[in-house]
Amino acid sequence: MGLYAFNCSEKLQTVNIRRGTCGHSVLSLGSMKTQWIWNKEKTKIVEPLDYENVIAQRKTQIYSDPLRDLLMFPMEDISISVINRQRRTVQSTVPEDAEERAQSLFVKECIKTYSTDWHVVNYKYEDFSGDFRMLPCKSLRPEKIPNHVFEIDEDCEKDEDSSSLCSQKGGVIRQGWLHKANVNSTITVTMKVFKRRYFYLTQLPDGSYILNSYKDEKNSKESKGCIYLDACIDVVQCPKMRRHAFELKMLDKYSHYLAAETEQEMEEWLITLKKIIQINTDSLVQEKKETVETAQDDETSSQGKAENIMASLERSMHPELMKYGRETEQLNKLSRGDGRQNLFSFDSEVQRLDFSGIEPDIKPFEEKCNKRFQVNCHDLTFNVLGQVGDNAKGPPTNVEPFFISLALFDIKNNCKISADFHIDLNPPSVREMLWGASTQPASDGNAKGSSPESVIHGIAESHLRYIKQGIFSVTNPHPEIFLVARIEKVLQGNITHCAEPYIKNSDPTKTAQKVYRTAKQVCSRLGQYRMPFAWAARPIFKDTQGSLDLDGRFSPFYKQDSSKLSNEDILKLLSEYKKPEKTKLQIIPGQLNITVECVPVDLSNCITSSYVPLKPFEKNCQNITVEVEEFVPEMTKYCYPFTIYRNHLYVYPLQLKYDSQKTFAKARNIAVCMEFRDSDESDGGPLKCIYGKPAGSVFTTNAYAVVSHHNQNPEFYDEVKIELPIHLHQKHHVLFTFYHVSCEISTKGTTKKQDTVETPVGFAWFPLLKDGRIITFEQQLPVSANLPPGYLNLNDGESRRQSNVDIKWVDGAKPLLKIKSHLESTIYTQDLHVHKFFHHCQLVQSGWKEVPGELIKYLKCLHAMEIQVMIQFLPVILMQLFRVLTNMTPEDDVPINCTMVLLHIVSKCHEEGLDSYLRSFIKYSFRPEKPSAPQAQLIHETLATTMIAILKQSADFLAINKLLKYSWFFFEIIVKSMATYLLEENKIKLPRGQRFPEAYHHVLHSLLLAIIPHVTIRYAEIPDESRNVNYSLASFLKRCFTLMDRGFVFNLINDYISGFSPKDPKVLAEYKFEFLQTICNHEHYIPLNLPMAFAKPKLQRVQDFFSFAVDRLTSVDSNLEYSLSDEYCKHHFLVGLLLRETSIALQDNYEIRYTAISVIKNLLIKHAFDTRYQHKNQQAKIAQLYLPFVGLLLENIQRLAGRDTLYSCAAMPNSASRDEFACGFTSPTNRGSLSADKDTAYVSFQNGHGIKREDSRGSLVPEGMTGFPDQGSTGENTRQSSTRSSISQYNRLDQYEIRSLLMCYLYIVKMISEDTLLTYWNKVSPQELINILILLEVCLFHFRYTGKRNIARVHDAWLSRHFGVDRKSQTMPALRNRSGVMQARLQHLSSLESSFTLNHTLKSAISPRSSVQ
């Protein structure tokens, strides 16, 4: 499947990319391919092995291997699980027979979505498929780290505790004006010889202090004198010589005389100088003590070393003693390993809190949890109180019933943001005034005792009639949101007349009796009619963060103005309410006791706005809390995919203009009765689906608006909430009936008078559906005087003229009634394009003969659908598009147009920052369905094919870029479709080569080839798109390892990497390593690399015949692969590919080197912490896999060591025998020794060669020569290094790179088995063996502990060099104390502590064996 065999005419059509308005350059895919092939010809291609074939051939070898877990993918690595949909409610919000009653395809799909459980594809070891920080281990850092205190830090702390001077090491300690005396043996000191100089007290880099003097503050000029304070032994005052003078006494009995200008300055100078003298004295004492101890140690060592205990036991003839010695040595060896930490535990990368590479958890769709608060309604009282009915002994109450409705109003956005919450706080004695004591009629006219009590969602209806607690939610909280309480009373007359007794109450008792008598008569006659009375408001939030104003109180009751009833009027009044000086509202004395509080965490017995109980809910509970529906702002950022069934319609009558009508003689006290009907025939009746008010039925057949007394143009503010049926048709409508209500009250009234309370004065209606969609915009309707059958046919002027229906219009059919409605439904959409698309799909499914091009037209129209609708019905729309993609494909353009709509949706979600919903859809909601057509392709096949077609086309350049940028979505869909196909069709049990047809392999290969030019050529033009598709493709191929032929995936990876070149710019090099890092993070990366022995070809075995004498001394397979050869890269494809690319990257600039080293290091860290491979044998096998990495370091040893750290060996002749050199390394316990004294150290070998070290700190210098001798060229021992001949053209590796590479080296040396290491030593050349030991000495140098302060300084310098230093931090005032300095540094160096720990714990992390090896 080589790249060169690819046919350009078939696989890559020449597509011109013309320069458009965006300034894109003119390119063609044909020219891109030509350049791409030219690039790849410069890269040597190593074809990977046929993985599946090798596994089959070596099945016996693999199963017999004790470490077969490293060679095999685990069984049942992938599965599908059905997760129960998590819901807040006790039962599903979807009605039981909803799917059967639904007839619309859109409604059916919505109901199916809300009732279907989640289908998730599980990858058993997915936790191991990411960065090392994602590993499922408790912590990468050990819990208990021993706290070591070293002399270098202890001395530093002691010095800094005694003085703050050391915190400013290398800088100016103090400065200021002083008078200096000129003194010699011939001149007497007097006042006249003092000269004014500006002094700087500075600490030098070596820790000593110097006092320099200048003519002025500018120290850039030549110094006029200097005093070295190392020789100063004391400082004393000299008041007799001069005022504020002091003397510096030196060791040579010489003195310097200085004088300050003020006494305070003199004291400060004296304190500073005395501290410096004390520091110098302590240092001298410490040095003398160390000198004495060193002399004693040298004297002891010169007396000879005690004989080694084990050596003496070996010479013993007593077998028991020898056995005891061996057991003791073994126990000591095990004890040394106790408590040993993982080598990488203290690495700065491990300790750094970097979560950039960790993707957030993907959660299922859920209802958005907005800011919620609870409203508890306790009491409402006015100042007219008395005893009502049988309540003679109880406390006084209101003498007439009042009714409260609460709602939230947003002044800032000038709208109402919640539904109404109706409360009845009337005591039972007052409620009896409405219906009498014997019966309590419901609002639909049925007596309470006439039928068994109904149950709604498992709750008795009586428990829902008097709810006093409500929970409001606010999506966008801010201080200008108010809770408004409207107070209503039974219709009686004019508002001013009714409010007068409550405002002017001179005789409370008499007034209460009078009001009670009137109210009793009114309630018995007009109890079902309401009139507005008063209103009050209070703020809810303190700030935009949603902090509740718990101390807020309601305003006084303001008398309701009959001309200002609408919501718009309330919003205006609230704006004035914030300005008390402009408020001229009449106050009604009273008190409303309603509290606002946070929703308790353990809230129970709550129901939704549809009266569905929430968890937890107790049976027969009467103290119920209801959620009040929020009207979420129609903004994309507040939208979320619907997850529950809800189907509410809110209807608002706004105004009726009846002042010019001549049809009715009396039409003043107008009541509006609203009904919801499904027929316009004479025998049709209202549906019982309107939410009732307190004290009545929960669901009723009608609802009345408030009545304005003697108003022919009344305004209304009522809200009618309707539970819509699942299926809506053209006959569903809302009917308005207008009544003139007689408010006359007469104690002598007859029954006939009582029956003429209301007189019909007109009818109006509006159908719910128009073109199949629910209408919610504001409308103005005509009013008819009668209601003939078939009145729904008279909706527009044209139908009225042509209709034969006998109807009489009021005022010439002018639009007299203004209404509006608001839909809160999760099964109906108001978007025309979505509705038409689903309607067309339903017609096609029902067998309707499709018109060519019709489906494509509706697909293209979906580009214009509203973004809010797209988000709210995201799972429903996406699933239908995938059905169309695979099922309805009689036309060739349908799949492409369908994919273009998918691309539009995906791009819109990303633009709005809502891409998390797409991830949730793929993981939980998306479930591939079998195509209904017999020859139809599956989703993964069709989608991959259409992606190729889009990438080839040149007409829609924007679509290509979008597809590249958001390719992750389509790759994830393909992966889940592939996994579902394998599991549900039971194809997972087939050999991997037979799981998918060859044609699909060809499609994936074509898709890869279509992507490559957009990455390797257009990267500068589309940086974001190319980077995204590079990562998405890597993630897709990584997942393909689990699903399909792994050898085929190897070939895809090889083809992709071959599209890059060593001469590529930095961006492409980064792309390449990001791709490799993603691939190598596969959870079964180790089995993919087959860490097993491969037999060498026959020719190679003949060439290795002469090395048999060495190999036979070991027990390791003679086929040890330790060099980065073609065979190694073929057998261990991924690790070989990574090491080869790293070898090339090390010769590049810093950024590319940094990226490559980080990939290798992070991968080894992941291996070290992988809980599946913690056994030492497993770690040894993994380390052996990376053995060629050691050779890679040897090739770059000059760059790792440099002149300050590199040992240089004496030149060895090329003919040196391996046995002569390696004779001391034939057993792990006898490999030579490293011995050193304090001043000069030699690394001694039995062949007589030595390596000199200049001092005990590990600063290494060459001895005799500065280069490497030529390497031998025999067999596999030959290692050609392109870097040695041209080392000067590359920069030396910096501190981070060296330490990272050495950490990887130490891991390999530490973990690899002793026998393997011995075999490796016997195979490499003598010079390379020396270099291996040199690397260990380089490790000692680079990981030596230099003190916290020095480490911080080095780390600061590295950050400044590669990342720059914040200019603000450079200009900050210098901190004058140690703690301040260290705190400032540690704040921006989260890895600093781990760097300290790494240096002094590295020795404990590496075994004694590996430190010598």
Side-chain angles (χ1 to χ4, degrees):
M1 207 172 273
L3 292 176
Y4 300 105
F6 180 64
N7 189 331
C8 181
S9 63
E10 294 180 359
K11 305 296 190 296
L12 284 177
Q13 299 175 356
T14 302
V15 180
N16 294 322
I17 303 174
R18 299 178 176 84
R19 179 180 294 276
T21 56
C22 299
H24 299 295
S25 59
V26 178
L27 273 177
S28 70
L29 290 183
S31 62
M32 287 193 292
K33 187 191 175 188
T34 302
Q35 181 178 349
W36 167 48
I37 293 179
W38 180 80
N39 282 340
K40 70 174 179 167
E41 288 175 347
K42 299 181 295 182
T43 304
K44 184 177 180 181
I45 300 176
V46 178
E47 292 294 334
L49 50 73
D50 186 345
Y51 190 92
E52 306 304 332
N53 190 30
V54 171
I55 290 294
Q57 292 177 354
R58 295 174 174 262
K59 186 175 182 180
T60 304
Q61 178 185 352
I62 291 174
Y63 276 92
S64 61
D65 195 318
L67 298 178
R68 54 182 170 270
D69 288 344
L70 297 178
L71 302 173
M72 300 170 54
F73 273 40
M75 300 297 291
E76 299 180 355
D77 190 31
I78 182 175
S79 62
I80 288 183
S81 62
V82 178
I83 302 176
N84 293 331
R85 179 181 288 264
Q86 298 297 317
R87 53 176 182 250
R88 298 189 306 139
T89 53
V90 175
Q91 61 196 52
S92 175
T93 56
V94 179
E96 292 181 1
D97 57 345
E99 200 164 349
E100 290 75 15
R101 284 189 284 164
Q103 298 183 21
S104 165
L105 175 63
F106 184 79
V107 175
K108 285 183 178 180
E109 293 303 326
C110 289
I111 292 173
K112 187 190 301 183
T113 300
Y114 306 146
S115 56
T116 304
D117 291 327
W118 309 123
H119 285 74
V120 180
V121 175
N122 298 309
Y123 299 91
K124 189 174 181 180
Y125 296 93
E126 188 174 13
D127 291 342
F128 297 90
S129 65
D131 187 74
F132 68 87
R133 297 177 182 86
M134 298 174 60
L135 289 173
C137 51
K138 182 182 295 185
S139 175
L140 299 179
R141 182 172 181 172
E143 297 179 357
K144 295 182 180 180
I145 304 177
N147 185 21
H148 300 291
V149 179
F150 297 91
E151 293 180 1
I152 188 172
D153 294 328
E154 193 175 36
D155 295 342
C156 180
E157 292 175 2
K158 184 189 301 181
D159 294 343
E160 290 174 356
D161 289 340
S162 62
S163 172
S164 63
L165 303 177
C166 289
S167 63
Q168 302 295 328
K169 186 172 184 179
V172 176
I173 304 301
R174 184 171 180 77
Q175 55 184 319
W177 289 101
L178 291 175
H179 295 267
K180 183 178 183 297
N182 290 329
V183 180
N184 55 41
S185 57
T186 60
I187 301 177
T188 304
V189 179
T190 64
M191 295 285 290
K192 297 180 181 180
V193 296
F194 278 88
K195 292 185 178 181
R196 193 168 183 260
R197 294 284 186 264
Y198 196 85
F199 280 82
Y200 284 93
L201 176 58
T202 309
Q203 185 182 21
L204 299 178
D206 62 355
S208 62
Y209 296 88
I210 185 172
L211 193 59
N212 289 301
S213 61
Y214 300 87
K215 278 190 174 182
D216 51 29
E217 296 93 332
K218 299 177 181 179
N219 59 2
S220 59
K221 298 181 180 180
E222 183 182 355
S223 172
K224 292 299 180 180
C226 60
I227 303 173
Y228 289 95
L229 297 182
D230 288 0
C232 183
I233 58 176
D234 198 8
V235 56
V236 296
Q237 295 187 41
C238 302
K240 294 181 180 180
M241 180 174 294
R242 179 177 173 145
R243 192 177 182 186
H244 311 314
F246 52 91
E247 176 186 2
L248 294 178
K249 295 183 179 182
M250 314 303 287
L251 284 172
D252 53 2
K253 297 183 180 180
Y254 183 81
S255 297
H256 294 279
Y257 297 93
L258 305 173
E261 295 185 342
T262 64
E263 183 177 359
Q264 181 180 356
E265 291 182 0
M266 180 191 69
E267 293 294 336
E268 292 176 353
W269 277 103
L270 287 174
I271 293 173
T272 302
L273 292 171
K274 286 181 179 180
K275 288 182 178 180
I276 291 175
I277 293 171
Q278 182 63 38
I279 291 172
N280 292 336
T281 303
D282 293 344
S283 299
L284 289 173
V285 172
Q286 183 65 23
E287 287 182 10
K288 186 175 181 180
K289 181 180 178 181
E290 290 178 354
T291 303
V292 173
E293 291 176 352
T294 303
Q296 293 175 352
D297 293 340
D298 293 342
E299 182 179 355
T300 303
S301 62
S302 64
Q303 296 174 358
K305 298 182 179 178
E307 186 180 23
N308 184 275
I309 297 176
M310 279 303 299
S312 63
L313 290 176
E314 290 292 340
R315 290 196 296 271
S316 173
M317 299 301 294
H318 201 294
E320 293 297 327
L321 193 58
M322 294 174 62
K323 180 180 178 182
Y324 169 76
R326 285 192 296 269
E327 291 177 351
T328 303
E329 178 65 17
Q330 187 66 24
L331 289 174
N332 290 339
K333 184 177 180 180
L334 294 175
S335 298
R336 286 194 295 270
D338 290 344
R340 195 159 300 222
Q341 304 294 346
N342 192 306
L343 179 66
F344 290 108
S345 296
F346 309 98
D347 184 75
S348 58
E349 287 295 314
V350 175
Q351 298 303 314
R352 185 160 56 95
L353 299 178
D354 179 17
F355 302 103
S356 58
I358 300 179
E359 297 182 358
D361 291 337
I362 302 175
K363 298 180 179 180
F365 295 126
E366 56 185 4
E367 295 180 73
K368 244 183 182 177
C369 185
N370 302 320
K371 181 62 183 178
R372 289 152 53 94
F373 61 91
Q374 183 172 344
V375 173
N376 298 316
C377 305
H378 304 286
D379 189 28
L380 169 66
T381 56
F382 289 98
N383 63 345
V384 178
L385 302 175
Q387 305 294 337
V388 178
D390 299 333
N391 191 28
K393 298 181 180 180
T397 63
N398 293 324
V399 294
E400 62 177 322
F402 292 97
F403 312 95
I404 306 172
S405 66
L406 300 176
L408 293 176
F409 285 81
D410 186 341
I411 300 178
K412 182 179 178 180
N413 297 305
N414 198 41
C415 61
K416 182 185 178 188
I417 61 173
S418 80
D420 288 341
F421 176 38
H422 299 280
I423 310 106
D424 184 352
L425 296 179
N426 297 303
S429 58
V430 176
R431 290 174 188 160
E432 292 177 0
M433 296 173 60
L434 294 170
W435 316 112
S438 58
T439 61
Q440 182 180 340
S443 58
D444 59 353
N446 296 326
K448 180 180 177 182
S450 59
S451 61
E453 185 178 19
S454 60
V455 176
I456 300 174
H457 299 296
I459 307 173
E461 188 173 352
S462 60
H463 297 165
L464 300 174
R465 285 201 176 114
Y466 298 104
I467 297 177
K468 299 180 181 179
Q469 291 98 243
I471 294 179
F472 289 82
S473 60
V474 178
T475 299
N476 182 28
H478 55 81
E480 296 187 48
I481 292 178
F482 285 81
L483 179 64
V484 175
R486 281 178 162 135
I487 314 299
E488 300 171 0
K489 62 190 296 291
V490 176
L491 176 61
Q492 183 175 346
N494 184 272
I495 297 177
T496 303
H497 174 74
C498 295
E500 185 176 354
Y502 293 90
I503 299 174
K504 301 176 181 179
N505 187 2
S506 57
D507 189 348
T509 303
K510 188 176 180 180
T511 303
Q513 293 176 354
K514 181 179 179 181
V515 171
Y516 173 68
R517 286 195 302 269
T518 305
K520 193 173 182 180
Q521 295 178 358
V522 169
C523 288
S524 62
R525 184 169 182 268
L526 306 173
Q528 64 176 336
Y529 303 107
R530 306 283 184 264
M531 63 174 287
F533 183 67
W535 66 275
R538 60 153 291 174
I540 295 297
F541 300 109
K542 295 179 180 179
D543 49 40
T544 57
Q545 305 302 317
S547 301
L548 285 177
D549 186 4
L550 300 177
D551 300 328
R553 294 290 182 268
F554 272 97
S555 65
F557 288 117
Y558 298 116
K559 181 176 72 70
Q560 186 71 66
D561 190 338
S562 59
S563 61
K564 297 180 180 180
L565 297 179
S566 66
N567 290 337
E568 289 73 16
D569 292 325
I570 284 290
L571 288 167
K572 291 178 182 178
L573 291 172
L574 288 173
S575 300
E576 296 176 358
Y577 162 77
K578 295 177 61 179
K579 303 172 183 178
E581 65 278 1
K582 294 185 178 181
T583 303
K584 298 180 180 178
L585 302 174
Q586 193 170 10
I587 296 176
I588 300 177
Q591 183 178 1
L592 179 61
N593 186 7
I594 294 179
T595 57
V596 175
E597 59 188 40
C598 298
V599 177
V601 179
D602 56 346
L603 179 67
S604 59
N605 304 321
C606 184
I607 58 176
T608 67
S609 59
S610 301
Y611 293 167
V612 180
L614 295 169
K615 302 174 184 176
F617 195 89
E618 301 173 2
K619 290 185 177 180
N620 301 322
C621 175
Q622 298 187 8
N623 190 22
I624 294 176
T625 305
V626 65
E627 290 183 337
V628 182
E629 195 146 32
E630 178 191 6
F631 300 151
V632 180
E634 293 183 358
M635 299 175 65
T636 308
K637 63 180 180 179
Y638 300 134
C639 293
Y640 60 93
F642 293 138
T643 58
I644 62 170
Y645 176 91
R646 184 172 62 246
N647 201 20
H648 297 155
L649 178 70
Y650 293 88
V651 180
Y652 303 89
L654 300 178
Q655 187 182 30
L656 178 67
K657 292 183 66 66
Y658 248 34
D659 54 345
S660 59
Q661 66 86 22
K662 305 297 182 182
T663 306
F664 304 101
K666 285 188 177 182
R668 292 179 299 177
N669 309 323
I670 300 175
V672 181
C673 176
M674 286 159 280
E675 298 174 334
F676 186 75
R677 299 194 174 203
D678 60 356
S679 173
D680 60 350
E681 301 301 325
S682 57
D683 56 348
L687 303 179
K688 191 175 182 180
C689 59
I690 297 177
Y691 283 79
K693 294 183 180 180
S697 297
V698 175
F699 287 100
T700 181
T701 57
N702 54 44
Y704 284 86
V706 293
V707 179
S708 296
H709 186 257
H710 282 201
N711 191 343
Q712 292 182 323
N713 295 325
E715 289 185 345
F716 310 98
Y717 59 77
D718 297 83
E719 174 184 273
V720 178
K721 180 179 176 182
I722 302 173
E723 180 75 26
L724 292 177
I726 293 175
H727 173 63
L728 289 176
H729 52 73
Q730 298 297 326
K731 292 290 186 179
H732 279 108
H733 64 284
V734 177
L735 176 66
F736 300 89
T737 304
F738 307 104
Y739 295 99
H740 167 75
V741 180
S742 175
C743 297
E744 298 177 3
I745 301 173
S746 174
T747 56
K748 299 179 181 180
T750 62
T751 304
K752 185 178 181 180
K753 186 72 173 179
Q754 296 288 335
D755 293 338
T756 57
V757 171
E758 58 185 25
T759 305
V761 291
F763 305 90
W765 58 88
F766 83 92
L768 255 63
L769 300 181
K770 182 178 182 181
D771 298 328
R773 296 180 302 129
I774 297 179
I775 302 171
T776 58
F777 52 84
E778 190 174 289
Q779 303 178 67
Q780 294 200 3
L781 307 175
V783 178
S784 67
N786 60 335
L787 195 67
Y791 54 84
L792 287 178
N793 298 322
L794 308 173
N795 289 330
D796 51 49
E798 186 67 24
S799 61
R800 292 168 198 155
R801 287 190 295 270
Q802 298 177 1
S803 175
N804 297 323
V805 178
D806 183 17
I807 190 168
K808 183 179 180 181
W809 296 102
V810 177
D811 203 3
K814 290 181 180 179
L816 304 179
L817 176 65
K818 183 192 294 186
I819 66 160
K820 72 173 183 179
S821 57
H822 175 76
L823 180 66
E824 286 288 337
S825 175
T826 60
I827 64 170
Y828 284 103
T829 176
Q830 298 174 265
D831 188 279
L832 176 63
H833 308 294
V834 175
H835 168 74
K836 287 186 174 181
F837 168 69
F838 274 86
H839 181 65
H840 179 80
C841 292
Q842 186 171 8
L843 292 176
V844 174
Q845 289 181 9
S846 61
W848 179 71
K849 186 176 181 180
E850 186 176 359
V851 179
E854 193 77 6
L855 178 58
I856 295 177
K857 180 184 73 173
Y858 290 120
L859 283 170
K860 290 182 177 180
C861 288
L862 285 179
H863 289 268
M865 64 178 160
E866 297 179 6
I867 182 66
Q868 294 91 342
V869 175
M870 180 194 303
I871 298 299
Q872 291 167 345
F873 296 100
L874 184 68
V876 179
I877 296 174
L878 289 178
M879 284 303 302
Q880 185 62 26
L881 287 171
F882 285 120
R883 292 188 195 98
V884 172
L885 185 69
T886 55
N887 290 330
M888 304 179 184
T889 55
E891 301 176 67
D892 295 337
D893 291 340
V894 169
I896 293 181
N897 281 277
C898 190
T899 306
M900 295 293 282
V901 177
L902 289 169
L903 186 57
H904 170 73
I905 294 174
V906 172
S907 63
K908 284 295 182 183
C909 289
H910 278 83
E911 290 170 7
E912 298 293 339
L914 303 175
D915 53 293
S916 60
Y917 295 147
L918 295 173
R919 302 183 190 277
S920 298
F921 166 76
I922 295 174
K923 184 171 183 178
Y924 297 99
S925 295
F926 174 63
R927 186 184 183 187
E929 300 176 358
K930 292 182 182 179
S932 57
Q935 301 298 326
Q937 291 183 318
L938 299 173
I939 287 179
H940 55 271
E941 297 171 333
T942 306
L943 194 56
T945 305
T946 55
M947 289 175 69
I948 298 172
I950 293 173
L951 290 173
K952 288 181 179 180
Q953 65 183 356
S954 62
D956 196 348
F957 190 77
L958 183 61
I960 296 176
N961 293 346
K962 283 185 176 180
L963 181 58
L964 295 171
K965 188 172 185 178
Y966 308 122
S967 55
W968 73 266
F969 175 83
F970 300 94
F971 281 129
E972 290 290 331
I973 290 290
I974 291 174
V975 165
K976 188 166 185 180
S977 176
M978 292 169 61
T980 306
Y981 163 74
L982 292 179
L983 293 168
E984 293 187 349
E985 298 295 324
N986 208 22
K987 300 279 188 179
I988 197 71
K989 296 181 180 180
L990 293 177
R992 286 176 176 260
Q994 302 176 20
R995 291 180 179 179
F996 295 97
E998 189 63 28
Y1000 182 60
H1001 286 190
H1002 177 76
V1003 168
L1004 290 185
H1005 189 233
S1006 301
L1007 178 59
L1008 178 89
L1009 297 177
I1011 289 173
I1012 291 177
H1014 294 285
V1015 176
T1016 58
I1017 298 177
R1018 298 185 62 212
Y1019 64 91
E1021 178 188 353
I1022 49 171
D1024 293 338
E1025 291 81 354
S1026 57
R1027 182 179 294 275
N1028 288 357
V1029 75
N1030 178 70
Y1031 176 77
S1032 301
L1033 179 62
S1035 301
F1036 170 69
L1037 294 179
K1038 181 178 75 169
R1039 191 54 69 200
C1040 285
F1041 278 128
T1042 308
L1043 303 173
M1044 58 193 313
D1045 188 330
R1046 289 161 285 194
F1048 169 71
V1049 182
F1050 279 159
N1051 280 296
L1052 293 180
I1053 294 171
N1054 204 29
D1055 289 351
Y1056 186 76
I1057 293 297
S1058 299
F1060 295 88
S1061 166
K1063 296 183 179 180
D1064 283 337
K1066 182 184 72 172
V1067 175
L1068 287 182
E1070 291 176 352
Y1071 287 1
K1072 177 169 57 179
F1073 279 101
E1074 287 175 6
F1075 180 88
L1076 288 175
Q1077 182 178 33
T1078 304
I1079 292 290
C1080 293
N1081 276 333
H1082 191 276
E1083 58 264 37
H1084 304 311
Y1085 168 79
I1086 298 298
L1088 285 172
N1089 283 294
L1090 290 177
M1092 57 189 291
F1094 285 84
K1096 295 181 180 179
K1098 184 176 181 181
L1099 178 61
Q1100 186 66 42
R1101 291 199 298 270
V1102 172
Q1103 292 175 349
D1104 292 345
F1105 173 75
F1106 294 102
S1107 62
F1108 174 74
V1110 176
D1111 294 336
R1112 65 184 175 83
L1113 299 176
T1114 69
S1115 60
V1116 177
D1117 194 327
S1118 61
N1119 298 312
L1120 178 66
E1121 295 175 297
Y1122 65 94
S1123 63
L1124 205 55
S1125 62
D1126 289 353
E1127 286 299 317
Y1128 170 85
C1129 293
K1130 179 179 181 179
H1131 296 156
H1132 317 288
F1133 176 67
L1134 291 181
V1135 66
L1137 181 61
L1138 180 59
L1139 291 179
R1140 277 202 168 186
E1141 296 298 335
T1142 303
S1143 176
I1144 297 172
L1146 287 178
Q1147 318 310 326
D1148 219 313
N1149 58 41
Y1150 173 78
E1151 289 81 4
I1152 297 176
R1153 297 198 310 265
Y1154 179 90
T1155 302
I1157 293 172
S1158 297
V1159 172
I1160 289 282
K1161 181 182 173 183
N1162 291 347
L1163 198 54
L1164 291 179
I1165 292 174
K1166 182 179 178 181
H1167 299 331
F1169 286 102
D1170 195 324
T1171 54
R1172 301 171 295 174
Y1173 309 134
Q1174 288 304 301
H1175 193 274
K1176 65 176 183 178
N1177 293 342
Q1178 293 174 315
Q1179 286 289 314
K1181 204 70 174 178
I1182 294 173
Q1184 182 179 336
L1185 195 61
Y1186 287 90
L1187 199 54
F1189 181 78
V1190 177
L1192 188 63
L1193 297 183
L1194 297 179
E1195 292 178 357
N1196 293 273
I1197 192 169
Q1198 287 182 328
R1199 304 171 69 196
L1200 286 168
R1203 280 181 289 180
D1204 57 341
T1205 56
L1206 180 61
Y1207 287 119
S1208 181
C1209 301
M1212 295 182 60
N1214 292 339
S1215 60
S1217 169
R1218 177 191 307 275
D1219 292 333
E1220 290 177 3
F1221 183 83
C1223 61
F1225 302 94
T1226 55
S1227 71
T1229 59
N1230 185 21
R1231 295 177 179 158
S1233 61
L1234 302 178
S1235 60
D1237 58 22
K1238 183 176 186 298
D1239 298 322
T1240 304
Y1242 284 88
V1243 181
S1244 301
F1245 301 99
Q1246 295 186 16
N1247 60 6
H1249 295 283
I1251 300 172
K1252 182 178 180 181
R1253 192 191 328 181
E1254 193 66 19
D1255 56 35
S1256 60
R1257 294 180 301 170
S1259 178
L1260 311 177
V1261 297
E1263 179 190 14
M1265 60 184 299
T1266 59
F1268 282 89
D1270 294 337
Q1271 301 291 320
S1273 57
T1274 304
E1276 273 194 18
N1277 299 329
T1278 303
R1279 188 184 308 278
Q1280 299 294 337
S1281 174
S1282 62
T1283 63
R1284 293 175 184 172
S1285 61
S1286 57
I1287 192 71
S1288 59
Q1289 64 176 305
Y1290 306 118
N1291 296 327
R1292 182 188 169 192
L1293 304 177
D1294 79 342
Q1295 185 77 1
Y1296 172 83
E1297 295 173 288
I1298 294 174
R1299 289 167 67 93
S1300 296
L1301 290 172
L1302 292 179
M1303 286 288 288
C1304 299
Y1305 171 69
L1306 290 174
Y1307 168 79
I1308 296 171
V1309 174
K1310 177 179 186 289
M1311 292 302 175
I1312 201 168
S1313 67
E1314 294 183 1
D1315 292 332
T1316 303
L1317 192 60
L1318 178 60
T1319 302
Y1320 173 59
W1321 282 359
N1322 286 324
K1323 284 180 174 290
V1324 299
S1325 66
Q1327 181 59 54
E1328 286 178 317
L1329 183 53
I1330 291 179
N1331 293 344
I1332 290 173
L1333 299 176
I1334 288 174
L1335 281 178
L1336 289 174
E1337 290 293 338
V1338 173
C1339 292
L1340 293 177
F1341 173 79
H1342 280 283
F1343 294 117
R1344 73 192 189 281
Y1345 187 68
T1346 58
K1348 294 182 179 180
R1349 185 170 57 194
N1350 187 60
I1351 294 174
R1353 187 181 295 112
V1354 171
H1355 208 132
D1356 282 338
W1358 180 79
L1359 288 176
S1360 175
R1361 174 184 173 189
H1362 296 296
F1363 302 105
V1365 179
D1366 187 5
R1367 184 168 299 276
K1368 180 180 178 181
S1369 66
Q1370 293 177 337
T1371 58
M1372 289 293 286
L1375 299 176
R1376 294 298 178 184
N1377 58 79
R1378 163 184 162 80
S1379 60
V1381 173
M1382 293 307 296
Q1383 182 65 25
R1385 285 176 176 161
L1386 291 176
Q1387 281 179 352
H1388 73 277
L1389 295 176
S1390 61
S1391 62
L1392 196 54
E1393 183 181 352
S1394 61
S1395 298
F1396 301 153
T1397 313
L1398 173 62
N1399 282 272
H1400 64 72
T1401 56
L1402 191 62
K1403 183 178 179 182
S1404 64
I1406 307 174
S1407 66
R1409 168 186 61 79
S1410 62
S1411 66
V1412 178
Q1413 294 168 353

